[in-house]
Amino acid sequence: TMAGANDDGIMPNCFNDIFKAISEASGDTQWLVTASYLEIYNDMIRDLLVKKSGKLELKRNADNGVFVKGLKSIVVMSVSEIQKILQIGTKNRTVGATDMNLDSSRSHSIFVINVECSSRSELDNENHIRAGKLNLVDLAGSERLAKTNAEGMRKKEGCMINLSLSALGNVINALVDSK
């Protein structure tokens, strides 16, 4: 669903829509598009655009909000460039075989696209910057240990996947709770 079989998934469609909107925007607007790609594997954050990424830390500050310290961000100028970033990161994702799936994703991944534009306002003739961030999240599926027959490391991965999905469910429930 996220990547699609023939570039028809959510991610390729987002890439196409972003760069189509940029190409159709007024000529005096300047654009900056950057992409990052990370995975959450066994409660560790790894940069998928760095071959041997170590564990990264989640941080928060007043300027950036929540961010991943040390996460690589690459400037992209076209659909083909951002697709290449996706391909590089996908190759670095943690996958493994289970009885249910030969190429089972063993992590959650987040593909982050930052879009900034600068344009002159007709109201005050000043340059104004607008920014947006799109997080494309691909969650690993929950696992029934009895069906996957996972042992050792695969069993630990499955438990961590289920634990993180349960935590996400708790966050969603807390957000909709009126208290």
Side-chain angles (χ1 to χ4, degrees):
T1 304
M2 290 304 291
N6 298 311
D7 283 340
D8 59 351
I10 292 170
M11 295 169 95
N13 278 306
C14 287
F15 302 163
N16 289 329
D17 287 349
I18 288 168
F19 285 99
K20 180 180 180 201
I22 289 171
S23 72
E24 293 174 350
S26 68
D28 63 337
T29 303
Q30 296 179 331
W31 296 88
L32 175 64
V33 181
T34 60
S36 303
Y37 200 11
L38 65 92
E39 78 174 347
I40 303 169
Y41 171 71
N42 284 348
D43 223 15
M44 291 187 327
I45 301 170
R46 287 186 344 112
D47 191 332
L48 291 173
L49 301 179
V50 176
K51 195 78 166 159
K52 293 186 178 185
S53 168
K55 181 179 178 181
L56 300 178
E57 294 180 50
L58 198 58
K59 297 286 187 179
R60 179 191 314 216
N61 69 28
D63 294 332
N64 301 324
V66 176
F67 67 100
V68 177
K69 183 178 178 184
L71 183 65
K72 185 174 185 173
S73 184
I74 298 174
V75 174
V76 290
M77 306 288 282
S78 66
V79 171
S80 62
E81 286 183 15
I82 200 167
Q83 285 175 329
K84 180 134 178 103
I85 299 300
L86 177 63
Q87 290 168 354
I88 290 167
T90 300
K91 286 180 186 173
N92 291 329
R93 260 190 99 175
T94 305
V95 295
T98 69
D99 283 0
M100 296 294 291
N101 185 349
L102 292 177
D103 282 325
S104 176
S105 170
R106 310 312 295 158
S107 67
H108 308 300
S109 71
I110 305 173
F111 193 94
V112 182
I113 305 169
N114 284 295
V115 179
E116 296 179 28
C117 71
S118 173
S119 59
R120 189 165 300 280
S121 169
E122 293 177 12
L123 296 174
D124 60 7
N125 204 28
E126 296 285 328
N127 272 342
H128 293 272
I129 296 174
R130 292 180 295 158
K133 179 189 242 182
L134 178 62
N135 292 297
L136 297 164
V137 181
D138 187 6
L139 298 174
S142 66
E143 299 205 346
R144 305 254 182 225
L145 294 177
K147 287 187 176 182
T148 62
N149 290 316
E151 296 178 349
M153 188 55 153
R154 291 289 172 262
K155 184 176 181 180
K156 179 184 176 192
E157 292 167 344
C159 289
M160 292 302 292
I161 290 167
N162 290 342
L163 182 64
S164 63
L165 291 172
S166 178
L168 176 61
N170 291 340
V171 168
I172 292 169
N173 285 332
L175 289 171
V176 298
D177 188 352
S178 63
K179 298 175 194 166

